[in-house]
Amino acid sequence: MATLVEVIATLDGIPDGDPYDVEPTIFVRKPWTAYSEAVVLNEDAVNGVAPSAPAFAYLLEVDLAKEVIRVWREWRAGAVPTPEQATQAVIFYGDTTRINLSRRSFVASANRQIRASRTAAMCGR
């Protein structure tokens, strides 16, 4: 199993998700540290965890983690973070933007409904 720092170090190799499908999402065993076990799954969190791996808690979508690192670089005049610095930035962002589980479940449910509506519209239903 990969650690979070290993996952963060390979983010550029993970393709962005399809806007009409579930985005690749980072899930991590708590407590969140650079060396906690982590997985990237194409599934929405349910009650704050990965449905297929309930021991892993939602951290961030891959595209948001990439954005966190991009902003970290901008704020530091283009400096390249070490894998540990990038990981700490992602953990910090994930922690500080945490929303309650009921809202996250609501958002995940709304996202599924939006994707279903878009798919139906594209198919002419």
Side-chain angles (χ1 to χ4, degrees), residues 7-28:
V7 167
I8 298 301
T10 62
L11 285 181
D12 287 335
I14 300 171
D16 292 332
D18 179 339
Y20 297 106
D21 199 5
V22 178
E23 296 180 36
T25 302
I26 303 168
F27 294 92
V28 185

Side-chain angles (χ1 to χ4, degrees), residues 50-73:
S52 67
F56 291 83
Y58 165 87
L59 178 60
L60 281 178
E61 287 78 7
V62 167
D63 65 335
L64 287 176
K66 289 177 181 179
E67 180 69 7
V68 166
I69 296 165
R70 185 189 65 73
V71 169
W72 188 100
R73 291 184 69 178

Side-chain angles (χ1 to χ4, degrees), residues 30-117:
K30 286 193 171 192
W32 293 339
T33 71
Y35 298 97
S36 297
E37 289 182 303
V39 294
V40 175
L41 301 170
N42 286 339
E43 58 188 61
D44 287 323
V46 175
N47 295 323
V49 300
S52 67
F56 291 83
Y58 165 87
L59 178 60
L60 281 178
E61 287 78 7
V62 167
D63 65 335
L64 287 176
K66 289 177 181 179
E67 180 69 7
V68 166
I69 296 165
R70 185 189 65 73
V71 169
W72 188 100
R73 291 184 69 178
E74 281 183 10
W75 287 359
R76 289 162 182 82
V80 177
T82 66
E84 288 80 8
Q85 289 171 322
T87 302
Q88 290 306 317
V90 170
I91 291 171
F92 178 80
Y93 184 83
D95 273 343
T96 58
T97 59
R98 191 72 30 227
I99 56 177
N100 69 50
L101 295 179
S102 62
R103 181 159 184 236
R104 184 171 300 119
S105 294
F106 170 78
V107 170
S109 176
N111 285 339
R112 283 190 294 274
Q113 291 175 358
I114 290 167
R115 282 192 297 276
S117 295

